[in-house]
Amino acid sequence: MPFDHNDHYHRLLLRKLPRHGRTALDVGCGTGRFARRLAARGYEVDAVDPSAEVIAVAERIGGGPRFRRTDAASAALPKAHYDVITCLASLHHMPFRTVTRFRDALAPGGVLLVLGCYAGHSWWDLAAVPANAVARAGVSAGERLRGSGPAVVPAPVRAPRMSLTDVRAEADRLLPGARVRRLLYWRYLLTYTVT
């Protein structure tokens, strides 16, 4: 079976969830695949996305989360409320400083998990181009074999502007104590816990 990078990243994030969390915010939820995984773990999930089209699909599918069309970069978020906030491949669609809004919405002990995209400029990033193409071809072939085809609603595509070095510098400035780990295919995992 071909490698499913979305499932791989979902499992990575699920391992980082706080042990006793009950409330979650999934930012840029799309059609709600990850939000439903959080709900299946017992979280009360607010799942937000600025696209009316994807929220309509997410609501049709259902599965537990409360789906809402909103822009998380400007919407009112409750202070010190969420045990976990997840942001999967969507932070590069908003100003990076939006992480401070997420930080303020976390309850004591709450965790911010960002699976982000960065602009690749290093030799390592360029070396990953062929591997990325092979992996994407494998995932596409697997979807065709399973009959799942492409997503019902395509996700918006926007090239990230920040390099990984920039992401680390801004995370250090805005989220002291955050950890940023490089992942494959121009992704990073930012983990921040409110103390």
Side-chain angles (χ1 to χ4, degrees), residues 51-188:
S51 168
E53 187 179 19
V54 298
I55 289 296
V57 172
E59 288 175 332
R60 270 197 311 274
I61 296 169
R66 291 178 297 267
F67 294 103
R68 186 167 49 114
R69 179 185 177 212
T70 192
D71 179 358
S74 59
L77 298 175
K79 298 287 184 200
H81 177 73
Y82 295 106
D83 296 311
V84 65
I85 297 177
T86 58
C87 190
L88 285 71
S90 57
L91 184 60
H92 67 283
H93 291 266
M94 43 190 121
F96 190 87
R97 68 181 174 276
T98 305
V99 297
T100 60
R101 304 184 85 245
F102 303 153
R103 176 198 65 207
D104 295 344
L106 286 169
V111 177
L112 172 63
L113 298 170
V114 176
L115 175 64
C117 304
Y118 66 88
H121 301 298
S122 71
W123 68 268
W124 174 260
D125 300 319
L126 296 175
V129 171
N132 189 31
V134 169
R136 287 186 187 275
V139 168
S140 178
E143 288 173 344
R144 282 194 305 276
L145 288 172
R146 290 189 304 272
S148 59
V152 175
V153 179
V157 176
R158 179 178 181 185
R161 295 185 181 118
M162 294 177 70
S163 69
L164 187 59
T165 301
D166 295 336
V167 168
R168 285 184 168 137
E170 282 298 283
D172 284 347
R173 188 174 72 82
L174 300 172
L175 302 170
R179 296 186 61 217
V180 177
R181 182 176 132 203
R182 179 196 305 262
L183 303 173
L184 293 176
Y185 313 124
W186 306 281
R187 303 282 193 275
Y188 64 87

